[in-house]
């Protein structure tokens, strides 16, 4: 078996080189803007010109006898050397390592280098990587009222310099895309714990965050000792009445009961209004065509006036009932 492997390796080494091949060479010397590598039976390679400048920092650290990987640019140039690129080889090998790490679901530890409104910037094996805000763990997710980009960035910038444990979520060497997730490390465990709950179940928890799109409610898992998970209650699920902003309904730290209306893998969606009487129940019988009602104007829109005829029950008086928007605004 050993002789077969050696024969295969020898045949592989003796086959003609082609652009894009990755070869291993030994540093044998250099000159101005040049470095020479011994490629064994495949000849002598050279890193020169632009490729030398691109890999200059790497070349500074190399000495005679060191082994390095390089990518073939030209199998034979005018001088008879195999023209090589160190930087391209390093990048290609890095992407291959990243692919294997993703396949093996390997946990990585990265240092945060920067932030923007979309998430955090870091790097793995010299490749720039991005952690979207949606892929951050609960404790690192930026909760900002009105989703103000400047405030989101300020919250995320607090993580610069810190180390996070992440998994590779997606990668594409062709577009230099490397997406990481801090959330994946807890998703499997959370899915398992969430499986103990059912849609329709009522939970009791505490409001831990308020955003313009809804509120976060932390409630305990069915474990001993109890651990907590956060569910999202969208603004539309806070009340049957129109809600301008969630802070008008609840405050951080408030104890609330909520109904589970949806479970999506590691996420739980809750509703406060589902625990109150639906004002539309029986409305068809109560408010038949021709019934005269009193109401309160809650909003004027280009298509008409919104009228609250009882808490949580709104009707529309169409613009056609006024003639024009101006006439509506004069009258109401």
């Amino acid at each position: 078996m050993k002789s077969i492997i050696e024969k295969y390796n020898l045949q592989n080494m003796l086959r003609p080189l082609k652009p894009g091949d990755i070869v291993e060479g030994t540093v044998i010397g250099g000159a101005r803007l040049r470095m020479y590598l011994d490629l064994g039976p495949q000849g002598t390679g050279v890193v020169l010109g632009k490729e030398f400048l691109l890999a200059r920092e790497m070349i500074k650290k190399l000495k005679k006898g060191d082994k390095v990987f390089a990518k073939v640019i030209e199998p034979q140039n005018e001088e008879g050397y195999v023209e090589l690129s160190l930087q391209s080889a390093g990048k290609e090998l890095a992407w291959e390592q990243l692919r294997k790490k993703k396949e093996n679901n390997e946990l990585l530890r990265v240092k945060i280098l920067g932030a923007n409104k979309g998430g955090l910037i870091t790097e793995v094996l010299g490749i720039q990587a991005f952690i979207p805000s949606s892929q951050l763990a609960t404790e690192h997710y930026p909760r900002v009222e009105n989703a103000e980009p400047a405030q989101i960035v300020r919250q995320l910038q607090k993580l610069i310099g810190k180390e996070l444990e992440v998994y590779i979520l997606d990668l594409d060497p062709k577009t230099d895309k490397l997406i990481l997730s801090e959330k994946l490390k807890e998703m499997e465990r959370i899915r398992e714990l969430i499986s103990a709950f059912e849609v329709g179940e009522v939970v009791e928890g505490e409001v831990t965050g308020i955003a313009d799109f809804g509120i976060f409610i932390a409630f305990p898992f069915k474990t001993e000792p109890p651990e907590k998970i956060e569910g999202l209650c969208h603004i539309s699920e806070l009340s049957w009445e129109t809600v301008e902003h969630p802070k008008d309904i609840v405050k951080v730290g408030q104890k609330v009961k909520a109904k589970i209306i949806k479970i999506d893998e590691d996420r739980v969606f809750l509703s406060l209004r589902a625990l109150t009487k639906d004002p539309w129940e029986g409305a068809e019988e109560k408010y038949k065509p021709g019934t005269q009602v009193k109401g309160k104007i809650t909003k004027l829109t280009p298509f008409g006036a919104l009228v609250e005829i009882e808490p949580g029950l709104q009707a529309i008086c169409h613009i056609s009932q006024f003639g024009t928007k101006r006439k509506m605004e004069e009258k109401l």
Side-chain angles (χ1 to χ4, degrees):
M1 177 63 76
K2 184 179 178 182
S3 62
I4 293 174
I5 293 173
E6 288 175 347
K7 183 179 178 181
Y8 171 79
N9 287 337
L10 181 60
Q11 288 174 341
N12 195 46
M13 287 176 65
L14 293 174
R15 72 173 176 79
L17 292 173
K18 61 182 186 296
D21 282 348
I22 300 293
V23 295
E24 186 179 26
T26 304
V27 178
I28 55 176
R32 181 175 171 78
L33 295 181
R34 286 184 176 223
M35 184 179 74
Y36 296 99
L37 299 176
D38 179 9
L39 305 179
Q42 293 167 318
T44 302
V46 63
V47 181
L48 76 165
K50 178 185 174 184
E51 292 299 333
F52 183 95
L53 293 172
L54 288 171
R56 183 163 47 190
E57 294 305 313
M58 189 191 311
I59 291 171
K60 283 180 184 178
K61 300 172 185 177
L62 295 173
K63 59 183 183 296
K64 192 173 180 179
D66 284 349
K67 291 186 178 295
V68 291
F69 286 98
K71 187 173 183 178
V72 176
I73 297 175
E74 181 64 49
Q76 186 174 10
N77 65 12
E78 294 176 353
E79 299 175 329
Y81 295 117
V82 181
E83 208 163 304
L84 304 168
S85 168
L86 289 183
Q87 189 184 57
S88 296
K91 199 171 183 181
E92 193 162 315
L93 290 169
W95 280 111
E96 179 61 22
Q97 284 182 269
L98 290 170
R99 184 185 64 77
K100 289 179 179 177
K101 289 179 185 295
K102 184 177 187 302
E103 286 178 357
N104 297 329
N105 201 31
E106 187 176 328
L107 182 64
L108 310 174
R109 194 169 184 83
V110 298
K111 186 175 182 179
I112 304 306
L113 305 175
N116 58 39
K117 66 179 181 180
L120 302 171
I121 300 163
T122 183
E123 67 173 36
V124 184
L125 299 178
I127 305 293
Q128 189 176 82
F130 188 64
I131 310 174
S133 293
S134 61
Q135 292 301 319
L136 290 173
T138 305
E139 64 267 28
H140 295 145
Y141 185 81
R143 293 171 188 166
V144 175
E145 286 192 18
N146 303 318
E148 286 289 338
Q151 290 184 42
I152 290 174
V153 173
R154 279 196 290 272
Q155 287 291 325
L156 292 173
Q157 283 176 338
K158 294 176 182 178
L159 295 171
I160 294 176
K162 294 185 181 294
E163 290 191 345
L164 303 181
E165 290 185 338
V166 297
Y167 289 96
I168 296 174
L169 183 66
D170 192 20
L171 58 82
D172 184 359
K174 291 181 181 178
T175 57
D176 283 335
K177 181 176 76 173
L178 179 57
I179 308 298
L180 307 177
S181 172
E182 184 189 24
K183 205 174 177 182
L184 281 179
K185 70 177 184 178
E186 57 187 28
M187 279 180 66
E188 288 302 322
R189 183 168 172 278
I190 289 175
R191 282 192 193 117
E192 185 180 341
L193 293 169
I194 284 177
S195 65
F197 294 95
E198 294 181 358
V199 171
E201 194 168 340
V202 176
V203 295
E204 188 168 356
E206 180 181 322
V207 177
T208 54
I210 298 177
D212 59 335
F213 53 83
I215 66 172
F216 295 93
I217 302 171
F219 60 94
F221 279 123
K222 298 174 180 179
T223 58
E224 288 297 336
E227 297 178 66
K228 289 187 176 181
I229 180 177
E230 279 190 325
L232 172 66
C233 181
H234 190 266
I235 188 171
S236 62
E237 292 294 333
L238 289 173
S239 172
W240 291 105
E241 298 181 47
T242 301
V243 178
E244 292 297 328
H245 196 283
K247 65 184 178 183
D248 299 331
I249 302 294
V250 294
K251 59 185 178 182
V252 173
Q254 183 176 334
K255 305 289 185 183
V256 294
K257 285 186 178 180
K259 188 174 186 177
I260 297 176
I261 56 173
K262 183 180 177 182
I263 296 175
D264 182 12
E265 294 189 340
D266 66 320
R267 296 181 297 172
V268 178
F269 297 89
L270 305 167
S271 173
L272 296 187
R273 77 171 190 174
L275 296 179
T276 59
K277 186 177 181 299
D278 184 351
W280 286 94
E281 286 182 17
E284 194 172 337
E285 286 297 316
K286 189 176 180 180
Y287 300 106
K288 291 181 178 180
T291 304
Q292 188 174 33
V293 295
K294 286 186 177 182
K296 175 184 174 183
I297 304 300
T298 58
K299 194 171 186 180
L300 300 180
T301 73
F303 51 84
L306 294 181
V307 186
E308 185 181 64
I309 53 179
E310 66 176 75
L313 196 63
Q314 290 204 94
I316 183 169
C317 189
H318 196 266
I319 191 72
S320 60
Q321 298 297 314
F322 303 96
T324 65
K325 186 184 177 191
R326 184 177 176 181
K327 287 182 178 179
M328 176 182 71
E329 291 173 345
E330 287 173 352
K331 193 166 185 178
L332 302 176

